[in-house]
Amino acid sequence: MATLAAAPWFRARLIPELKNRQSLLYCRGDHSYRQSLCSRRRSFSVYASAGNGGDVRVRFAPSPTGNLHVGGARTALFNYLYARAKGGKFILRIEDTDLERSTKESEEAVLRDLSWLGLAWDEGPGIGGEYGPYRQSERNALYKQFSEKLLQSGHVYRCFCSNEELEKMKEIAKLKQLPPVYTGRWASATEEEVVEELAKGTPYTYRFRVPKEGSLKIDDLIRGEVSWNLDTLGDFVIMRSNGQPVYNFCVTVDDATMAISHVIRAEEHLPNTLRQALIYKALGFPMPHFAHVSLILAPDRSKLSKRHGATSVGQFRDMGYLPQAMVNYLALLGWGDGTENEFFTLEQLVEKFTIERVNKSGAIFDSTKLRWMNGQHLRSLPSEELNRIIGERWKDAGITTESQGIFIQDAVLLLKDGIDLITDSEKALSSLLSYPLYETLASAEGKPILEDGVSEVAKSLLAAYDSGELSGALAEGQPGWQKWVKNFGKLLKRKGKSLFMPLRVLLTGKLHGPDIGATTVLLYKAGTSGSVVPQAGFVTFDERFKILREVQWESFSTDVPLSAGAVTH
């Protein structure tokens, strides 16, 4: 790993060029001891070897410039799981140095989404901690302090190049087919030249001196050994001319001063590790272990983005997903415990999680599987909690007059197998309460029912309702229905599908649905309990049987064209 280790002590070993032997740098805590100054020639290789002690401290550091992407949520989850599994601390730091794009609303949304997922942070906004402040915008004095330290040590110099000069350098490099790196115009400037520019008030940046030769090698906990040649980098800016620090400098100072032991982040940050490692070394800070997690990909293996549909945690919450299902699914995007088990609670994930089992390859985001998994989690909830969640949804949607009670319990029990998302419950109940009889009879699927003599069953059913026999049976619940339907079947000399399919169509107006007996009893309760809002599209039994009485069965004959009225009734 990028091993100037995040341990109580570390030794960063400089692997010297043969002609230019370098010294060893030892650090203990915040103190550094140099055996000798680095040689004049800027050429070396770095391989860091980590110590094994120290407390685990990880961080999630989002930029509040938008909603929390599922990729960011997974990164936060892996950090959280690693910290909890190791008995360490999970720190939340807000990287809001992009003043133009960062907003308080985005920060609040990120905090809300993390809390909804159950990823409680030990230090950070709203909690505090001894390593604060936890917003980069409040840490400028710290960045200034360390940039001045680097200037005094010679690791950083003032660069007075204008934007025009920098663009010209890029053009020349492009013509020569060279990397677009800074040429070092001010790296060797004399003190007199610098003083002259300062006296003129020329704007300047702080540039970090990068060795011209050599390489940097890290041992990534997920990707293994990763190395870079330093000649591809060039001297880079750490402080802009307006006094604002650059991302890589902020991150390094923050992670070092917050004693971060392990940096678990997305693979798109892997190239930043080179700059950050050089800054760690120059400041004499212990370097954390690094683990770069692969990207979450869309089904077409491109980077998951808005064009693929919902991608933020807040969107999935609003769509009716449960936090425990989101956490379970995100954990499986690039990780597994080595078994066939796919279902984990957050506590079980903490128990099972190891960084060694995180995959190098990208993980495909499968929204169909996420939906299925959410349904499994939803139906595994304790009945009281499931009733509460769905009951509140129905009441808020204006379908029921209450969020709890016998009707709610019976409706949830009947419909839950067809509900994968909380929002599905609205459609499920609304569909149950509707009565699309004419549409069903006019459909191709309705033809076999018509041919099976459904009109004769309708006559006998109307008689049972008019006599009060059916209502009396339904008032007794399931036992009453079972007794009635048995006798009704004997009367018509029908049983099985020949009995229950016509009854389903006549009583519910549909060809498919949950158990017909439980459905019919529930519809009866809906009409007598006052649990359903009148405007919810509920067709009562009185209204259903009125419609049945008006059906002109001959208009549904396959040999006679359907009248417009029959279809749109």
Side-chain angles (χ1 to χ4, degrees), residues 201 254 411:
D254 289 341

Tab-separated table of all heavy atoms in Angstrom, residues 201 254 411:
chain	number	residue	atom	x	y	z
A	201	GLY	N	3.715	42.834	-7.399
A	201	GLY	CA	2.366	42.337	-7.100
A	201	GLY	C	1.875	41.307	-8.084
A	201	GLY	O	0.663	41.123	-8.250
A	254	ASP	N	-5.652	16.969	5.392
A	254	ASP	CA	-6.795	16.529	6.205
A	254	ASP	C	-6.607	15.096	6.700
A	254	ASP	O	-6.801	14.797	7.885
A	254	ASP	CB	-8.089	16.624	5.402
A	254	ASP	CG	-8.526	18.057	5.171
A	254	ASP	OD1	-8.054	18.939	5.898
A	254	ASP	OD2	-9.345	18.276	4.267
A	411	ALA	N	-55.493	-6.259	4.530
A	411	ALA	CA	-55.098	-5.838	3.192
A	411	ALA	C	-53.603	-6.072	2.958
A	411	ALA	O	-53.194	-6.538	1.892
A	411	ALA	CB	-55.443	-4.363	2.977
